[in-house]
Amino acid sequence: MNELVPGGNLPLPGGALTLWVPGPFDVSALITDESGKVGGDADFVFYNQPTAPGARLRDDTLTIDPARLRPGAARVTVVISPADPGTPLGRLPAPTLHVTNPGGQPLTRFTPSRPQRETVLLLAELYRRGTGWKLRALGQGYADGLAGIARDFGVDLVEDATPAPAAVRSAFIPAPRSTPSTGPHFNSPSPTSPATDPTGFLTLANSARANAGSPPVALDHRLTSAAQAHASDMAAAGHLSTESRDGTSVYQRVTQAGYTYLIIGEHLVSGPRTPADFVDYCLRTEKARRTLLERDFTHAGFAQAVDPRSGDVYWTALWATPLTAGNLARTAAEVVELTNAERARAGLRALAVDPLLAAAAQAHSTDMVVRAFYSHTSPDGSQPWDRAAAAGSRRRTIGENIACGQRSAAEVVEGWMNSPGHRANILKPDFTHIGIGFAGGGQTGTYWTQLFGA
């Protein structure tokens, strides 16, 4: 494995690369053209916008598939900042970038000179050279935070001054498509037909879960069907990816199979030859282990497929908890509770739940999944205050936070609080009421909406 120094570069193999920076850091990426500028706000991948074509962020891990980047993309800059906003990087452990190839083998790593007062670091960049791509180690620091670096790359982080009633807008807007939404669809508590386990995967997985004190999961034929379709597509393409060659995400496969979820996790792996090898890999790898042993999962689906050209085995394991009216209500209540805890710490009064705001928020989350967009502006042009009024609300001031990709109430509220515009909504003294929406599916897996009113 190569060890890069600042300015060093390395040719990259084809396929999806994995880059991660362990430690108390947030990882971001900026996708730019030859001019060094983004093509739009959707080219900024960070904790509240974790996906773009060819790029996906999950915790501290960034997956980049250069061949799937949007047209005109010539460079991807990997950025880190402290998980605790405003903390100088010099107070934290030295960051190290680890890069693995499409097969999961270590490719290179890079540890820059220890930052001092900087609060953001350009760690590395992937750049197009001829028909291929290379990785260059950078280590360039910024002292004015993520907003400063985003502005230098052409990302618009200015909050809109919209006509009254005003809403703080701090999420980014990719293009919409598809068909209109309806309300949430709830699962039946069990699959419509049994799923068999000819490979013994379920026994192996549940044995590992039992040893960790986690309850068993049941195989679900819908999850198994989605897993098989995704594993087969990865094998046909010859690389790991959360999206199929036609752009269908693994989460869309799950919902298209008829399983509507509240919580989802996935393993996309190449290399193990048997189910026992696969489970052993999961137990030896920290993030994979957390997913395998997650106590809240109730169902699983598992499949494998072989690339006929290389003989490589591609695996997809899906773990989920079905969406029901009860657990949706509990999740919404948890978001409200965590939001009010943040307001209490700031000396502000608690927000009361408004059923009309909740209905509008839920409709927007569902709409973002069904029509495959992520924006405060719906494809029909409606704004948060329009949706609130359509739900029957007469509140004079409306604000909205949205997020995608977060897997729990705690994770989404933490993300909002780490984003200045979203934090401003949560801590706005004038707001008195709130509604929460959640939907699973789409490109990123989960879509959240907070709708505030006064």
Side-chain angles (χ1 to χ4, degrees):
M1 180 181 68
N2 290 301
E3 184 91 25
L4 288 178
V5 297
N9 60 72
L10 180 75
L12 295 173
L17 303 164
T18 301
L19 305 91
W20 78 98
V21 184
F25 306 105
D26 282 334
V27 180
S28 310
L30 291 142
I31 301 165
T32 57
D33 55 23
E34 294 287 359
S35 72
K37 299 294 185 181
V38 298
D41 291 342
D43 282 346
F44 185 24
V45 178
F46 73 124
Y47 45 76
N48 264 340
Q49 184 170 280
T51 63
R56 174 172 173 77
L57 176 65
R58 177 81 182 275
D59 298 326
D60 60 0
T61 301
L62 187 67
T63 302
I64 301 291
D65 187 345
R68 293 173 175 266
L69 295 171
R70 53 105 171 152
R75 194 179 306 268
V76 180
T77 304
V78 181
V79 181
I80 63 162
S81 55
D84 182 13
T87 301
L89 288 166
R91 296 182 187 174
L92 303 177
T96 297
L97 173 70
H98 299 262
V99 184
T100 60
N101 66 21
Q105 289 79 35
L107 188 63
T108 189
R109 74 182 173 193
F110 168 56
T111 303
S113 300
R114 188 177 184 85
Q116 298 300 318
R117 299 175 58 188
E118 295 92 338
T119 56
V120 169
L121 193 67
L122 303 186
L123 198 53
E125 63 181 7
L126 289 75
Y127 62 99
R128 187 190 300 276
R129 186 61 81 232
T131 58
W133 284 75
K134 301 181 78 172
L135 175 75
R136 178 184 290 121
L138 296 177
Q140 176 187 347
Y142 275 66
D144 56 348
L146 201 57
I149 195 172
R151 283 191 294 269
D152 282 358
F153 279 74
V155 179
D156 181 10
L157 292 183
V158 178
E159 294 171 6
D160 293 329
T162 51
V168 175
R169 175 181 178 272
S170 49
F172 304 137
I173 306 174
R177 58 189 170 118
S178 196
T179 53
S181 68
T182 59
H185 169 73
F186 300 119
N187 270 299
S188 57
S190 60
T192 55
S193 62
T196 58
D197 180 32
T199 66
F201 165 75
L202 184 65
T203 300
L204 293 166
N206 278 336
S207 175
R209 290 174 63 84
N211 290 338
S214 298
V217 293
L219 279 182
D220 185 285
H221 74 95
R222 298 163 293 188
L223 295 177
T224 298
S225 173
Q228 187 62 69
H230 199 74
S232 297
D233 194 277
M234 290 193 298
H239 64 81
L240 298 172
S241 177
T242 59
E243 293 184 9
S244 300
R245 291 167 294 175
D246 64 357
T248 302
S249 76
V250 66
Y251 315 112
Q252 288 171 311
R253 289 195 184 279
V254 172
T255 55
Q256 288 169 2
Y259 191 104
T260 310
Y261 58 81
L262 177 73
I263 307 171
I264 193 160
E266 69 282 345
H267 290 118
L268 308 177
V269 178
S270 175
R273 308 299 298 182
T274 68
D277 292 340
F278 176 84
V279 172
D280 181 62
Y281 159 80
C282 292
L283 291 173
R284 290 186 287 105
T285 307
E286 182 182 356
K287 287 186 178 181
R289 178 183 176 88
R290 287 202 307 265
T291 299
L292 175 65
L293 304 180
E294 170 59 57
R295 294 184 55 85
D296 291 337
F297 290 138
T298 58
H299 294 106
F302 173 81
Q304 60 174 300
V306 179
D307 181 344
R309 297 154 298 189
S310 65
D312 292 340
V313 183
Y314 287 81
W315 305 80
T316 299
L318 297 171
W319 312 81
T321 298
L323 183 69
T324 66
N327 61 27
L328 177 60
R330 285 190 294 274
T331 298
E334 187 177 355
V335 173
V336 173
E337 181 181 358
L338 292 168
T339 299
N340 279 333
E342 297 292 347
R343 289 178 64 87
R345 277 191 277 274
L348 301 172
R349 59 181 173 179
L351 302 172
V353 174
D354 181 330
L356 298 178
L357 294 179
Q362 182 59 53
H364 190 55
S365 286
T366 303
D367 194 24
M368 287 191 288
V369 169
V370 174
R371 289 203 273 186
F373 72 100
Y374 177 64
S375 173
H376 296 283
T377 304
S378 298
D380 59 10
S382 64
Q383 301 288 340
W385 45 89
D386 299 320
R387 295 189 289 272
S393 173
R394 295 182 176 273
R395 304 209 174 269
R396 293 171 296 176
T397 304
I398 295 293
E400 182 180 80
N401 286 344
I402 57 176
C404 61
Q406 294 80 6
R407 303 304 176 97
S408 69
E411 186 179 345
V412 74
V413 173
E414 180 183 9
W416 281 327
M417 288 299 293
N418 286 335
S419 172
H422 298 87
R423 180 186 178 94
N425 264 349
I426 288 174
L427 300 183
K428 186 171 181 176
D430 293 346
F431 285 142
T432 57
H433 290 77
I434 189 173
I436 305 298
F438 167 86
Q443 294 295 318
T444 65
T446 58
Y447 291 77
W448 306 79
T449 303
Q450 267 185 329
L451 198 57
F452 303 89

